[in-house]
């Protein structure tokens, strides 16, 4: 997260994303194996591509009836899920072509993951972040002074590490299992 936020947060703020939505999107990327500055760069690039889409990308977004901005003019974090939903009845080749045009070669990674996670994945991550924030507020009320603030910081960093670890572990397990399969096949050759 420490490497992802500096890459993506300024642009996310520019487009109107809250810090909670930005962290939720980055956590979803991390949960799916896209981490650190790679996740931040992919998210930043996708947002920039949506801020100022090419003519061809604008036509695709219009054809798919995707609303990029809310009533306040902010980019909508749900746009990734909506893009995936809008293209789900197309052939795989058509889906890939449209994603490549709209998001480009670097940001297509973010769209692929965030689209697959969908609105449900984003909502679940928002709820997890909200619960963590509520717990932090309660703990903060109990801890006053420098010693209390220091203890609270340690607890919140620990909770964040656990949340991210729980999110990333399934992807890492799949990766390690895949490597084991490759090694096993290589051994039998």
């Amino acid at each position: 997260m420490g490497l992802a936020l500096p890459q993506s947060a300024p642009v996310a703020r520019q487009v109107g994303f809250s810090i909670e939505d930005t962290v939720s999107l980055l956590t979803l990327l991390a949960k799916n194996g896209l981490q650190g500055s790679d996740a931040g760069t992919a998210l930043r690039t996708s947002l920039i591509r949506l801020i100022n889409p090419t003519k061809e990308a604008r036509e695709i977004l219009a054809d798919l009836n995707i609303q990029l901005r809310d009533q306040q003019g902010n980019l909508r974090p749900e746009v990734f899920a909506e893009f995936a939903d809008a293209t789900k009845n197309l052939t795989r080749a058509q889906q890939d072509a449209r994603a490549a045009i709209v998001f480009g070669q670097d940001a297509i990674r973010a769209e692929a993951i965030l689209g697959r996670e969908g609105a449900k994945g984003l909502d679940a991550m928002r709820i997890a972040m909200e619960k963590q924030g509520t717990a932090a507020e309660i703990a903060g009320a109990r801890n006053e002074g420098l010693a209390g603030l220091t203890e609270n910081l340690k607890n919140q960093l620990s909770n964040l590490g656990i949340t991210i670890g729980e999110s990333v572990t399934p992807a890492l397990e799949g990766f390690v299992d895949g490597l084991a399969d490759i090694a096993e096949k290589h051994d039998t050759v």
Side-chain angles (χ1 to χ4, degrees):
M1 198 57 69
L3 296 173
L5 276 172
Q7 291 295 326
S8 59
V11 174
R13 182 167 188 233
Q14 176 69 30
V15 301
F17 283 11
S18 67
I19 188 67
E20 293 83 6
D21 280 340
T22 304
V23 170
S24 293
L25 291 168
L26 290 170
T27 302
L28 286 173
L29 293 174
K31 176 180 145 186
N32 286 278
L34 186 59
Q35 302 172 12
S37 64
D38 285 343
T41 299
L43 182 59
R44 179 191 71 223
T45 304
S46 66
L47 297 177
I48 291 169
R49 301 266 315 196
L50 292 171
I51 290 171
N52 187 23
T54 64
K55 181 179 185 249
E56 194 174 8
R58 278 193 309 271
E59 290 171 2
I60 289 170
L61 293 167
D63 287 344
L64 295 173
N65 198 29
I66 294 177
Q67 186 68 30
L68 293 177
R69 298 190 180 266
D70 63 18
Q71 291 179 343
Q72 291 77 34
N74 297 322
L75 199 63
R76 299 172 54 251
E78 298 80 10
V79 72
F80 302 102
E82 290 173 7
F83 185 87
D85 284 343
T87 60
K88 71 181 175 190
N89 293 326
L90 302 176
T91 67
R92 173 60 74 193
Q94 291 170 324
Q95 290 172 3
D96 293 345
R98 282 163 179 75
I101 291 167
V102 172
F103 293 97
Q105 70 181 22
D106 195 38
I108 196 170
R109 301 178 299 167
E111 191 286 320
I113 292 169
L114 298 173
R116 185 175 58 248
E117 284 287 335
K120 287 182 181 180
L122 179 57
D123 287 341
M125 194 56 64
R126 284 173 170 157
I127 290 168
M129 293 294 172
E130 186 177 313
K131 285 181 182 177
Q132 189 170 345
T134 302
E137 287 176 20
I138 292 169
R142 292 182 187 155
N143 297 314
E144 294 186 15
L146 182 58
L149 292 172
T150 303
E151 187 62 30
N152 185 40
L153 176 61
K154 288 182 352 187
N155 290 337
Q156 293 311 310
L157 290 173
S158 176
N159 288 341
L160 180 60
I162 290 168
T163 300
I164 291 172
E166 288 173 348
S167 296
V168 174
T169 298
L172 290 175
E173 287 173 347
F175 177 75
V176 170
D177 190 39
L179 287 177
D181 288 345
I182 291 169
E184 183 179 319
K185 288 176 185 173
H186 182 66
D187 249 355
T188 61
V189 173

